[in-house]
Amino acid sequence: MTTETRDGSPGYWFFRGAAGLFSLPGIILMLSFVGFAAFCVETGMPRDQVVFMVGIVWALPAKMILVSSIASGANIAAAFLAVTLSSIRMMPMVAALVPEIRGEKTRTLSLLALSHTVAITAWVYAMQRVPEVPRERRVVFCAGLGITLVLANMILVGIVYNLVVTFPPILAGCLFFLTPVYFLASIWASARQRVIHVALVVGLIMGPVATLLAPEIDILITGIGGGTIAWAIERAMRQREGRKLAAGLPTRTTEPEGEA
């Protein structure tokens, strides 16, 4: 049996990635885009522009910021800066995913093209699934996932655009809110380091406060300020455990002698 037969063809792994559209994360994402379509209808954006935005911007929060900026009459420079700051958060996701999917023959151009499809849902799903995929097929797997998510949601938004006007506003808002809720739950469950849990808690506390005090830059304040505070808290906790270890006291990573 050849390696090609055992590991599956590129087409096989592409469609295995595309099947992520029908997973729980993929379904939640599609429901969120239904809520996004309702938001765009409320702002008066034409359907063709909304569909184009889904494909060219992709990350849902960045699109929300762009639509909000347009609706509020912000100039193009301010909108560009806001979307850029929102999208910068994807860089650590890409940096974490690339080592997991890069193979010996992977071209840099392929990784650059694939990075456009990296957003919350694709990143969480890929990070959970790629360890089960042969390394030489991981880029194809992620391409199937990312391309399918983008195209499917472009089609979905185009179809539901004229239907969402009949939705109650509370329903559209709840649909849109599903993605961040799923993202937080997934990150919490899959976190391997304590600092991630600390950062999530600090961010959830700081986010509403920053929105009330400085709504124009609340994301920036929460990201930089919350991340710094989380790092300081986690560093203090590590130092405390270090002192306990030096004194021979049990820590969260050690057990007293005699215990199983």
Side-chain angles (χ1 to χ4, degrees), residues 5 33 73 108 113 139 146 151 157 175 185 187 199 210 214 225 227:
T5 303
F33 267 99
T108 302
V139 169
L151 292 180
V157 168
L175 290 174
I187 293 297

Side-chain angles (χ1 to χ4, degrees), residues 6-171:
R6 185 176 65 251
D7 293 341
S9 65
Y12 168 80
W13 286 108
F14 182 92
F15 286 106
R16 279 286 299 271
L21 177 69
F22 304 103
S23 65
L24 178 60
I27 293 172
I28 291 176
L29 180 64
M30 288 190 287
L31 291 174
S32 299
F33 267 99
V34 174
F36 171 71
F39 175 71
C40 291
V41 170
E42 289 294 324
T43 61
M45 288 196 66
R47 177 168 55 183
D48 55 345
Q49 294 183 18
V50 176
V51 173
F52 177 75
M53 186 187 305
V54 172
I56 202 67
V57 179
W58 182 227
L60 193 52
K63 283 193 285 290
M64 285 294 297
I65 292 173
L66 180 57
V67 174
S68 300
S69 300
I70 295 172
S72 64
N75 61 59
I76 189 170
F80 174 83
L81 179 61
V83 173
T84 299
L85 291 175
S86 170
S87 300
I88 284 175
R89 64 195 170 87
M90 301 298 175
M91 292 180 63
M93 295 183 184
V94 175
L97 181 62
V98 165
E100 297 293 330
I101 66 175
R102 184 194 294 271
E104 293 182 358
K105 300 180 180 180
T106 304
R107 295 181 297 175
T108 302
L109 184 60
S110 299
L111 294 174
L112 289 174
L114 192 59
S115 66
H116 174 71
T117 67
V118 175
I120 294 172
T121 301
W123 183 81
V124 171
Y125 186 87
M127 292 295 287
Q128 291 175 344
R129 299 298 193 280
V130 291
E132 306 167 2
V133 181
R135 180 165 289 275
E136 65 273 16
R137 300 289 184 245
R138 292 181 180 180
V139 169
V140 175
F141 176 86
C142 291
L145 172 65
I147 292 172
T148 302
L149 287 177
V150 174
L151 292 180
N153 282 288
M154 290 176 69
I155 296 171
L156 176 65
V157 168
I159 293 174
V160 304
Y161 183 86
N162 290 329
L163 301 177
V164 292
V165 292
T166 61
F167 288 7
I170 186 65
L171 175 60

